[in-house]
């Protein structure tokens, strides 16, 4: 009997220790998102998904929803296609594409500097220039709303680009959202993506299957870019921590970017906007 009591006490203690270590080690994460600790390979899109699944409703307001996780779409407006040249920002006669912006006064000085640096990531080696708005009719209104998201391309007039603070305050995330504003969708949305990656449909959180749709994209004769800042990570929207996107042929290829634009991302901008030089 004493032995049994001893065993019971021992097992109770052990399960308490186990429960405690579980409680201490487990972080609450949104359903469909598995934290992959210690890998150190979190992509820009992983960060965006984490923020948006925590904070942003897929319905931003009554008529605006998020597509592919972070592209704002308004009902009744050209909702899907911005791959023709219909939504480009206007190019100036001096060869630059000047995009006017306003910045919410809610951002701190440090946050403002970071957003500016994120925009510089786009400007480097391209003809795009972000300029504080003076009189321009079309402009990006940067606001710390819920989540990190942007409309696709130029919509005409004022368009919001949300960079929630502090969650979206990372250079890569900022640059990614401005890429959407320039007119780029996610790399794995390319219509020819099935030649390059396998989408593991059963592994994707069911509510988010639509985030993996393909679109009739303008690929600009550029190769599929596994390392694009616009590529989903390998574990995006994974139900059980298993990959949801697997590169074909070479499983060791890394998907996405952690910090900045890839070389091909810059080529994309220069081709879409027909920039002639990589000048100052
Ligand atoms: Zn995105």
């Amino acid at each position: 009997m004493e032995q049994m009591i001893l065993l019971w006490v021992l097992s109770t203690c052990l399960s308490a220790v186990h429960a405690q270590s579980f409680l201490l080690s487990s972080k609450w994460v949104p359903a469909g998102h598995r934290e992959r600790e210690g890998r150190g390979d979190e992509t820009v899109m992983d960060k965006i998904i984490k923020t948006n699944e925590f904070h942003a409703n897929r319905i931003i307001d009554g008529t605006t929803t998020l597509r592919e996780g972070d592209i704002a779409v308004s009902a009744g407006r050209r909702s899907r296609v911005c791959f023709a040249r219909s939504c480009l920002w206007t190019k100036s006669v001096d060869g630059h594409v000047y995009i006017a912006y306003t910045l919410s006064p809610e951002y701190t000085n440090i946050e403002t500097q970071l957003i500016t640096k994120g925009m510089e990531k786009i400007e480097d080696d391209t003809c795009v220039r972000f300029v504080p708005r003076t009189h321009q009719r079309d402009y990006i209104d940067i606001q710390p709303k819920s989540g990190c998201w942007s409309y696709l391309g130029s919509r005409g007039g004022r368009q919001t680009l949300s960079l929630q603070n502090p969650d979206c305050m990372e250079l890569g995330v900022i640059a990614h959202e401005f890429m959407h504003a320039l007119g780029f969708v996610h790399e794995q949305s390319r219509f020819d993506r099935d030649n390059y990656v396998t989408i593991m449909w059963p592994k994707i959180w069911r509510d988010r299957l639509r985030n993996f749709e393909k679109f009739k994209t303008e690929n600009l004769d550029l190769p599929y870019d596994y390392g694009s800042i616009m590529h989903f990570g390998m574990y995006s929207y994974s139900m059980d921590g298993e990959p949801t996107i697997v590169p074909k042929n070479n499983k060791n290829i890394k998907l996405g970017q952690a910090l900045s634009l890839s070389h091909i991302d810059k080529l994309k901008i220069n081709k879409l906007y027909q920039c002639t030089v990589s000048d100052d």
Side-chain angles (χ1 to χ4, degrees):
M1 187 64 189
E2 277 177 9
Q3 273 180 330
M4 285 198 46
I5 290 170
L6 193 66
L7 269 174
W8 179 80
V9 169
L10 198 64
S11 71
T12 309
C13 286
L14 276 174
S15 56
V17 167
H18 180 75
Q20 194 183 31
S21 66
F22 173 78
L23 285 171
L24 287 173
S25 68
S26 73
K27 294 177 187 169
W28 185 84
V29 292
H33 179 86
R34 168 76 64 94
E35 189 96 8
R36 289 169 296 107
E37 289 178 41
R39 294 198 193 189
D41 57 357
E42 194 176 49
T43 66
V44 165
M45 197 60 208
D46 292 329
K47 290 170 195 161
I48 292 170
I49 290 171
K50 206 191 290 181
T51 302
N52 288 4
E53 293 296 333
F54 265 119
H55 298 289
N57 256 319
R58 273 200 298 170
I59 299 169
I60 296 167
D61 59 42
T63 55
T64 306
T65 53
L66 287 183
R67 190 187 90 193
E68 292 180 51
D70 68 332
I71 301 174
V73 178
S74 289
R77 292 196 66 155
R78 36 165 202 270
S79 55
R80 286 214 157 173
V81 184
C82 169
F83 311 114
R85 304 195 175 263
S86 60
C87 63
L88 297 194
W89 295 86
T90 311
K91 196 164 165 189
S92 161
V93 285
D94 71 1
H96 286 113
V97 176
Y98 294 103
I99 300 178
Y101 69 89
T102 54
L103 203 58
S104 165
E106 289 176 50
Y107 289 115
T108 64
N109 283 343
I110 290 171
E111 286 165 346
T112 300
Q113 282 171 20
L114 207 60
I115 292 169
T116 311
K117 281 211 169 99
M119 292 192 278
E120 284 169 7
K121 295 263 180 203
I122 304 261
E123 294 176 339
D124 288 345
D125 304 320
T126 75
C127 66
V128 174
R129 297 291 180 269
F130 293 98
V131 292
R133 177 175 185 245
T134 49
H135 60 282
Q136 295 87 342
R137 190 182 71 95
D138 303 338
Y139 65 101
I140 297 175
D141 182 24
I142 308 162
Q143 292 282 341
K145 294 191 178 286
S146 285
C148 332
W149 50 264
S150 168
Y151 289 91
L152 196 58
S154 169
R155 310 174 79 221
R158 181 180 72 85
Q159 67 185 70
T160 304
L161 185 150
S162 171
L163 294 170
Q164 181 181 338
N165 48 6
D167 305 68
C168 311
M169 289 295 130
E170 293 201 30
L171 290 180
V173 172
I174 295 163
H176 178 107
E177 295 308 334
F178 279 99
M179 286 292 282
H180 285 315
L182 285 176
F184 296 103
V185 289
H186 296 118
E187 186 70 1
Q188 82 289 334
S189 303
R190 278 172 62 138
F191 69 88
D192 61 346
R193 64 110 185 272
D194 294 325
N195 298 330
Y196 305 97
V197 294
T198 307
I199 305 295
M200 311 300 281
W201 295 103
K203 301 291 178 191
I204 300 167
W205 188 21
R206 276 195 200 158
D207 281 2
R208 298 295 184 266
L209 289 173
R210 291 199 64 187
N211 289 347
F212 290 78
E213 283 180 352
K214 281 186 287 190
F215 291 95
K216 202 168 184 302
T217 47
E218 162 67 85
N219 293 337
L220 305 161
D221 292 323
L222 287 170
Y224 189 88
D225 186 12
Y226 293 100
S228 169
I229 196 170
M230 306 312 284
H231 207 300
F232 275 18
M234 189 177 263
Y235 302 91
S236 294
Y237 299 101
S238 174
M239 269 198 310
D240 55 6
E242 293 292 313
T244 51
I245 308 178
V246 178
K248 288 198 162 148
N249 304 323
N250 185 350
K251 294 199 165 34
N252 295 320
I253 291 177
K254 202 169 168 290
L255 301 183
Q257 281 285 330
L259 292 170
S260 192
L261 280 72
S262 71
H263 177 62
I264 299 177
D265 285 329
K266 302 219 174 227
L267 291 179
K268 259 186 238 166
I269 297 173
N270 287 334
K271 276 209 153 185
L272 186 64
Y273 283 94
Q274 298 175 327
C275 304
T276 47
V277 282
S278 344
D279 55 13
D280 59 310

